Amino acid sequence: MKSVLLTSLPRYDLVAPPAAIGILQGVAKAQGLNTEVFDFNVYLREHLSEAEWQDLDNWLIFLQQDISDDLKNKIISLWEKGITGKMPANCEYLLISVFSYWSLYIARLIIQHEAKKISPYKLIVGGNGVSSKFPDTGKYFKEWNDETKAIEHLILGEGENPLSSLWSQGKVNYNDNDLDTFPFPTYSNFDFTGYTEKKVYITGSRGCVRKCTFCDIQNIWPKFRFRSAENIVKEIKQHYYEHGITRFDFTDSLINGSTSNFYKFNSLLAEEKAKNNDLKEIGYLGQAICRPKNQMPPSHYEAMYYAGCRQLTIGIESFSESVRNHMKKKFSDEDIEYHLEQCGHWQIPNVFLMITCYPTETLADHEKNITDLKKYQKYSKAGIIEFMRWGTTMHIAPDTPIASKEMIKSLGLTTTTGQDIFYEPGTSYTWKSTANKQLDLKERIRRRLELHKVTTELGYLQPDAKNELMTIFKMSEFVK
Amino acid sequence: MNIQLEHKNEKFSCEVFNNERSLFKLAESHKHSFKVDDLPAHLKIYINPYKIQPIIRVDNIMVNYGLAKITPWDHMLEFKLDNNFFDQYFSNIIEAKRLYLDLDKNDIKKKIGLDKLSELMDKIEKNIS
């Protein structure tokens, strides 16, 4: 029987098995392949020191130009040891998942190493990261592979169809426009004890219904597509009966992209739980968008409660409406209040994702952030705003609407020395705006520190604050 | 403070006592709302039929029985209310997270971000000053 070893790389969270590997393992098994998995992200975290891990992280997010040769050699040596231990018999394919453009450098390091080897397997590489450019060379991943010919099968875009076609010799094809035709992800071979939570990621939709200026999701999935409510509930039940999983984390950009389908999903899951006592502990969490009352009436929140919605991650981004309007978030202050009121009514905790120092942010916008932190403190005390994440201040990501020539021109985005915003990898953090001169790097860091102080004083929980401030510290070195 | 009791499937009646004094009786319904002005309050809510555990909301926020220290007896619900109810509730959230993560009192502050990170903040401030 043919075999495949499916691997994933940093940068990814350490919380649960990576969704991409679960999805592609499902496809491989559906084509009759023997599979094994290797999470190199978790393996590296276990085998690198704290300082080495931080160095690697700074390199991957482009805040550091390079890492030492010693660390690169250690990473390669760990990779070799790790895959040797996991390699299944008759391994015909080694698959590497490149989750995002923050995985680009380590992917290149590993793939260059693999290309030097004489191996019995063919290399398959895919994931969102392979659609990106290397910030240091300005070359797209595909261009780099065309030159080096390091990868036998480079998968651009979704993996299900190209891989099912490869593994079935063209006999099996899924309907890309009907996500219900894809096989269910499989999490066999994963050791759940290696992760901080026993949960699985689940994908109910791909794409987004918004076109936020800072986000590149529309490049990856231009069209919003979603699975039927029945199909998602069926998958949840399958993971429960196979692995005893009761916690499901949606990978969707937003779980309420289709409010009618989301309502149906909640109603169906609640019905299943009411009928079958086995399922009563099942709960889910996911990212969602804040919506006005006419789109998500109180009955929708009630259905979420009975279905077991344990947490929503909401991209509020800024408490200033004018900042959000520029971002094209399309919800008002009134909508935030309504959302919190309903979440309070049904005890649904929220993680608020914020972006500080967006290029149009004025001092008044910043002060609005502080005012609303005070206003919503009661929701923090009640656990309804469970966590607050202020992030590392606005980072201009390539291939996003805000990085378009028109926006860069209208916002006057340049480096501190007046060069192109992507002149050097780190300059996407250290930008300045000639249209909002007050908001230089020093001021951005000052505002971020002020927000940390106020947020801490008000007692909001910020579990990622230390990591975020470590990155801010790195950024502050550019001010000196 | 405003209190609301709700049970989706069963109607129930209740008699509300504050500090051993009967305040009022509420006839059978899926939902009951009332106000408690006399704080601190030690509430006992006798419920009929027995073994009903309604959703409880304090000032329109649904509370968790464990975190709100609500004791569900077969025949009544018993809990305390004061002006600092949600301060106490928040402390109980932190304590629950501490126990879940098996951390000591200092480590939990670091883990969930209640730490002021003063040393790191000072270093950053120094760099931008």
Side-chain angles (χ1 to χ4, degrees):
Chain A
M1 188 190 278
K2 287 180 189 173
S3 298
V4 55
L5 175 61
L6 303 112
T7 68
S8 62
L9 307 175
R11 195 176 189 246
Y12 196 75
D13 70 43
L14 300 155
V15 178
I21 301 299
I23 289 170
L24 298 178
Q25 186 169 220
V27 174
K29 285 198 177 293
Q31 310 319 320
L33 268 76
N34 178 34
T35 61
E36 188 51 80
V37 298
F38 174 52
D39 188 339
F40 191 45
N41 184 40
V42 167
Y43 191 77
L44 267 185
R45 185 69 188 94
E46 283 167 6
H47 290 84
L48 293 184
S49 69
E50 194 65 43
E52 288 169 333
W53 181 255
Q54 190 61 50
D55 251 14
L56 173 63
D57 202 53
N58 284 336
W59 181 49
L60 296 183
I61 64 169
F62 320 128
L63 273 174
Q64 187 168 309
Q65 299 286 354
D66 209 346
I67 50 172
S68 68
D69 286 345
D70 281 352
L71 182 52
K72 282 183 185 167
N73 290 336
K74 187 171 179 181
I75 291 168
I76 293 291
S77 155
L78 287 167
W79 166 262
E80 203 49 48
K81 193 176 169 194
I83 61 164
T84 305
K86 287 283 187 174
M87 193 68 67
N90 306 318
C91 185
E92 203 161 303
Y93 303 101
L94 172 66
L95 182 148
I96 298 175
S97 167
V98 183
F99 177 64
S100 78
Y101 81 121
W102 279 335
S103 307
L104 282 171
Y105 288 169
I106 193 164
R108 186 171 58 188
L109 179 71
I110 297 293
I111 292 162
Q112 279 171 335
H113 166 74
E114 282 295 327
K116 286 182 206 154
K117 287 163 53 178
I118 298 168
S119 338
Y121 49 77
K122 293 187 175 71
L123 207 54
I124 303 172
V125 180
N128 292 339
V130 303
S131 303
S132 307
K133 266 183 196 170
F134 290 101
D136 54 355
T137 62
K139 279 185 187 161
Y140 277 101
F141 197 96
K142 184 178 180 307
E143 290 175 77
W144 170 74
N145 189 51
D146 287 343
E147 283 171 18
T148 60
K149 311 259 183 287
I151 302 161
E152 280 90 351
H153 301 284
L154 176 64
I155 312 288
L156 296 164
E158 292 176 344
E160 286 90 341
N161 259 327
L163 289 176
S164 65
S165 182
L166 173 70
W167 290 331
S168 70
Q169 282 84 45
K171 287 177 200 149
V172 178
N173 278 298
Y174 305 114
N175 179 357
D176 278 334
N177 290 318
D178 181 2
L179 299 181
D180 285 3
T181 63
F182 291 180
F184 287 161
T186 305
Y187 290 95
S188 54
N189 296 316
F190 275 103
D191 174 10
F192 283 93
T193 61
Y195 298 93
T196 51
E197 288 182 34
K198 188 176 177 182
K199 72 174 180 185
V200 302
Y201 291 108
I202 187 162
T203 303
S205 67
R206 294 179 185 185
C208 188
V209 295
R210 295 280 182 270
K211 289 186 176 170
C212 299
T213 53
F214 53 82
C215 181
D216 66 351
I217 203 78
Q218 56 191 303
N219 303 336
I220 300 159
W221 291 304
K223 192 178 157 196
F224 179 69
R225 292 164 297 155
F226 54 92
R227 293 166 60 190
S228 67
E230 292 85 351
N231 191 254
I232 302 170
V233 171
K234 195 173 166 191
E235 185 189 333
I236 285 177
K237 286 169 69 180
Q238 181 170 305
H239 293 309
Y240 172 76
Y241 287 114
E242 277 181 6
H243 303 290
I245 302 291
T246 55
R247 192 170 167 85
F248 294 88
D249 191 343
F250 279 91
T251 63
D252 307 31
S253 293
L254 73 179
I255 51 178
N256 59 346
S258 162
T259 50
S260 56
N261 198 56
F262 184 50
Y263 179 61
K264 191 173 177 189
F265 159 73
N266 283 310
S267 305
L268 273 178
L269 186 55
E271 257 175 50
E272 288 285 331
K273 290 172 75 169
K275 273 193 303 199
N276 185 347
N277 209 34
D278 277 2
L279 307 174
K280 71 174 180 186
E281 295 302 325
I282 283 178
Y284 72 84
L285 49 155
Q287 296 190 92
I289 192 160
C290 184
R291 285 192 178 271
K293 190 176 182 176
N294 64 345
Q295 292 176 14
M296 276 190 64
S299 56
H300 286 217
Y301 288 88
E302 180 179 2
M304 284 160 71
Y305 169 73
Y306 285 108
C309 181
R310 305 273 190 262
Q311 189 188 69
L312 292 177
T313 298
I314 304 272
I316 295 291
E317 322 302 358
S318 171
F319 287 121
S320 159
E321 240 176 33
S322 70
V323 169
R324 288 199 310 274
N325 287 342
H326 194 278
M327 291 174 169
K328 299 193 183 339
K329 291 299 291 185
K330 297 187 177 177
F331 56 85
S332 64
D333 285 356
E334 196 185 328
D335 299 334
I336 298 176
E337 284 199 59
Y338 167 71
H339 172 77
L340 282 171
E341 178 197 298
Q342 284 303 310
C343 287
H345 199 76
W346 291 105
Q347 206 188 68
I348 298 171
N350 283 251
V351 179
F352 274 11
L353 302 181
M354 310 300 284
I355 295 177
T356 55
C357 306
Y358 185 76
T360 64
E361 186 186 281
T362 61
L363 195 55
D365 295 324
H366 169 65
E367 279 160 7
K368 177 72 161 54
N369 276 335
I370 291 174
T371 304
D372 282 9
L373 269 179
K374 291 173 185 164
K375 176 175 153 188
Y376 293 133
Q377 187 192 19
K378 65 174 179 176
Y379 289 110
S380 167
K381 286 188 177 180
I384 301 304
I385 300 178
E386 189 177 13
F387 301 124
M388 185 63 91
R389 290 187 62 180
W390 286 107
T392 56
T393 77
M394 178 72 181
H395 160 231
I396 314 281
D399 299 324
T400 55
I402 203 160
S404 67
K405 280 181 185 166
E406 299 74 32
M407 281 257 203
I408 284 183
K409 194 177 170 195
S410 69
L411 294 167
L413 299 174
T414 65
T415 66
T416 46
T417 51
Q419 283 165 300
D420 181 87
I421 195 82
F422 300 115
Y423 170 64
E424 281 180 343
T427 51
S428 56
Y429 289 91
T430 57
W431 54 269
K432 67 173 186 176
S433 163
T434 54
N436 187 5
K437 287 185 179 155
Q438 201 179 26
L439 194 65
D440 59 12
L441 180 60
K442 184 176 171 177
E443 173 63 5
R444 294 206 299 277
I445 293 174
R446 187 200 69 76
R447 288 184 194 178
R448 177 63 184 83
L449 296 188
E450 188 178 7
L451 284 167
H452 177 75
K453 280 179 194 162
V454 175
T455 310
T456 311
E457 277 161 18
L458 292 170
Y460 286 88
L461 305 186
Q462 308 172 82
D464 299 298
K466 189 178 175 188
N467 287 337
E468 290 166 1
L469 290 182
M470 294 279 280
T471 304
I472 299 285
F473 174 66
K474 189 80 189 164
M475 288 167 66
S476 70
E477 291 177 347
F478 291 95
V479 177
K480 275 201 292 188
Chain B
M1 296 181 102
N2 293 304
I3 306 295
Q4 189 180 68
L5 310 177
E6 179 182 348
H7 199 284
K8 192 183 182 186
N9 301 324
E10 287 197 60
K11 285 185 176 179
F12 60 101
S13 63
C14 50
E15 183 171 6
V16 181
F17 284 75
N18 182 11
N19 301 328
E20 305 299 338
R21 195 164 52 87
S22 174
L23 296 183
F24 38 76
K25 289 181 182 177
L26 299 163
E28 216 172 42
S29 172
H30 285 288
K31 203 185 267 189
H32 302 284
S33 298
F34 55 89
K35 214 169 171 189
V36 180
D37 293 321
D38 188 12
L39 298 174
H42 183 166
L43 293 180
K44 288 182 178 175
I45 306 170
Y46 291 84
I47 287 185
N48 204 9
Y50 288 1
K51 297 191 179 177
I52 294 267
Q53 284 192 16
I55 283 170
I56 300 182
R57 296 191 178 92
V58 177
D59 286 345
N60 204 30
I61 290 178
M62 186 198 289
V63 294
N64 173 289
Y65 274 49
L67 298 174
K69 307 281 179 202
I70 296 168
T71 308
W73 303 95
D74 276 359
H75 62 302
M76 73 160 172
L77 302 167
E78 182 177 11
F79 58 104
K80 290 177 179 169
L81 271 184
D82 206 344
N83 284 319
N84 67 351
F85 176 84
F86 279 109
D87 291 322
Q88 192 55 50
Y89 191 81
F90 184 69
S91 300
N92 295 340
I93 290 175
I94 307 301
E95 180 61 8
K97 286 186 191 292
R98 187 184 75 76
L99 292 172
Y100 176 73
L101 296 167
D102 194 20
L103 295 172
D104 69 31
K105 289 195 174 171
N106 284 327
D107 285 344
I108 186 66
K109 281 193 168 182
K110 287 180 191 161
K111 181 82 184 170
I112 60 178
L114 275 176
D115 186 356
K116 288 188 176 172
L117 298 168
S118 309
E119 207 177 307
L120 184 54
M121 293 279 284
D122 289 347
K123 278 187 191 171
I124 300 170
E125 274 170 350
K126 195 176 162 197
N127 276 351
I128 63 167
S129 62

